[in-house]
Amino acid sequence: MAQIIDGKLISQQIKDELKEKVAELKANGKEICLAVIQVGNDPASTVYVGNKKKACEYIGIKSLAYEIPEETTEEELLGIIDKLNKDDSVHGILVQLPVPKHINEEKIINAISPSKDVDGFHPASVGALSIGQKGFVSCTPAGVIQLLKRSNIEISGKECVVIGRSNIVGKPMSMLLLRENGTVTICHSRTKDLKEVCKRADILVVAIGKPRMIDASYVKEGATVIDVGIHRDENNKLCGDVDYASVEPVAGAITPVPGGVGPMTIAMLMNNCVEAGLN
Ligand code: NDP
């Protein structure tokens, strides 16, 4: 039986630790503040933004909501970001992605000051991670590292295979595993013999974006399997990129979906906000 890595429990522990830190800061006269900008009213984005606000409330972080219309121009949005960059009472700035098509996402990400870039998407944050300097790290991969560490799973010296090379998950995940002294292989759609490469892994992180694609035939006996994927299946049930029923019997440890990586993303966002407030 695999060890089930409980992301719900671990994310709650992190949020409770942060709540204490935030209370301490408040007692010393510092209130941490996150500005969340949502352009338009895409229903999925509204849910994500709502969850972020709730987490802020729980931890004691002040959240400023900018819910601005779909028609907002790129210039107007850049103007809001500029104002928030200059506002010393705002510690973190987050623009909920995706933004409407008439706005250049890259320009928006680049406009956020790296010192307030709590999503960790700014090129300066990404660069800092790759050369081992201090900077904000993308929340989902940072959450995976916390899941491993807090479950006492050793990374150093281990064969780590990451499936996926996206800017928000696969690439930063690989850099973080490398920083923890893992021996890292990155797989993508052009990888030959994906199964063979995955079977080498002591730690297999799956961010492929394909529901239940990774079954037991990709997994070495006893490996740790981290499933980043989130999908709704044909019965509207949540599932990951890993076929849990097939993999759980062979894995040494595994994250479930839901309740694995998912809850860690917001917890790590909150962690980045607190760090931004301490800078
Ligand atoms: P992307 O679609 O951006 O990236 C998928 C990656 O998988 C790409 O690098 C792609 O390769 C690779 N890939 C696709 N098909 C194959 C294949 N057949 N064999 C090998 N590699 C393949 O996805 P994201 O990184 O944004 O997200 C991955 C998953 O994680 C999704 O299910 C998403 O919903 C979920 N997610 C969950 C989060 C959470 O909070 N839990 C946060 C973010 C994402 P190539 O580059 O060559 O195209």
Side-chain angles (χ1 to χ4, degrees), residues 38-43 45-46 66-74 76-77 98-103:
Q38 182 184 356
V39 189
N41 44 17
D42 168 68
S45 292
T46 304
Y66 287 78
E67 280 142 17
I68 56 179
E70 180 89 18
E71 312 76 66
T72 304
T73 65
E74 186 177 283
E76 284 167 334
L77 179 54
V99 284
K101 285 196 176 58
H102 63 275
I103 296 175

Side-chain angles (χ1 to χ4, degrees), residues 12-274:
Q12 188 60 44
Q13 284 167 353
I14 293 173
K15 285 193 282 185
D16 286 336
E17 289 163 15
L18 292 171
K19 194 175 180 167
E20 263 182 46
K21 245 189 226 173
V22 167
E24 238 173 73
L25 287 168
K26 238 184 218 164
N28 291 322
K30 182 153 198 175
E31 183 172 43
I32 296 189
C33 173
L34 169 69
V36 179
I37 307 171
Q38 182 184 356
V39 189
N41 44 17
D42 168 68
S45 292
T46 304
V47 172
Y48 294 138
V49 166
N51 289 340
K52 287 167 189 173
K53 276 193 228 159
K54 257 190 250 163
C56 281
E57 233 166 76
Y58 179 78
I59 290 167
I61 294 174
K62 178 178 171 189
S63 70
L64 292 180
Y66 287 78
E67 280 142 17
I68 56 179
E70 180 89 18
E71 312 76 66
T72 304
T73 65
E74 186 177 283
E75 213 184 341
E76 284 167 334
L77 179 54
L78 289 170
I80 296 172
I81 294 171
D82 184 50
K83 212 177 86 205
L84 293 169
N85 277 340
K86 290 176 178 148
D87 184 340
D88 287 341
S89 69
V90 173
H91 303 97
I93 304 171
L94 184 155
V95 177
Q96 185 63 44
L97 300 177
V99 284
K101 285 196 176 58
H102 63 275
I103 296 175
N104 181 335
E105 189 171 293
E106 201 179 306
K107 252 194 191 168
I108 299 306
I109 290 173
N110 291 358
I112 297 171
S113 160
S115 65
K116 301 189 180 187
D117 174 37
V118 285
D119 259 338
F121 294 163
H122 192 284
S125 308
V126 177
L129 172 63
S130 72
I131 57 171
Q133 287 184 1
K134 205 171 175 296
F136 293 111
V137 177
S138 180
C139 301
T140 303
V144 170
I145 296 293
Q146 283 302 311
L147 285 178
L148 293 169
K149 287 193 168 171
R150 290 174 185 246
S151 305
N152 297 317
I153 293 164
E154 178 81 31
I155 304 170
S156 180
K158 293 293 160 68
E159 286 282 347
C160 303
V161 174
V162 178
I163 319 179
R165 57 172 165 181
S166 70
N167 288 341
I168 61 164
V169 186
K171 281 187 199 142
M173 187 72 252
S174 310
M175 293 311 303
L176 284 172
L177 289 164
L178 185 61
R179 189 163 89 177
E180 298 296 331
N181 302 313
T183 302
V184 183
T185 305
I186 310 170
C187 300
H188 45 77
S189 63
R190 313 283 174 88
T191 298
K192 294 208 173 88
D193 300 325
L194 181 67
K195 258 186 204 181
E196 289 318 304
V197 179
C198 292
K199 278 199 126 152
R200 295 205 303 254
D202 300 310
I203 298 173
L204 178 64
V205 181
V206 187
I208 196 170
K210 303 254 187 297
R212 297 197 179 105
M213 177 172 154
I214 301 304
D215 63 19
S217 65
Y218 290 78
V219 177
K220 179 170 81 176
E221 180 97 34
T224 295
V225 180
I226 304 289
D227 187 356
V228 181
I230 318 179
H231 313 273
R232 291 235 171 238
D233 71 6
E234 53 290 352
N235 303 316
N236 206 31
K237 250 185 84 180
L238 283 174
C239 72
D241 291 345
V242 172
D243 182 350
Y244 186 88
S246 158
V247 171
E248 190 270 335
V250 299
I254 187 167
T255 56
V257 176
V261 174
M264 296 301 290
T265 301
I266 286 195
M268 297 317 289
L269 172 69
M270 296 296 109
N271 182 65
N272 281 352
C273 291
V274 174

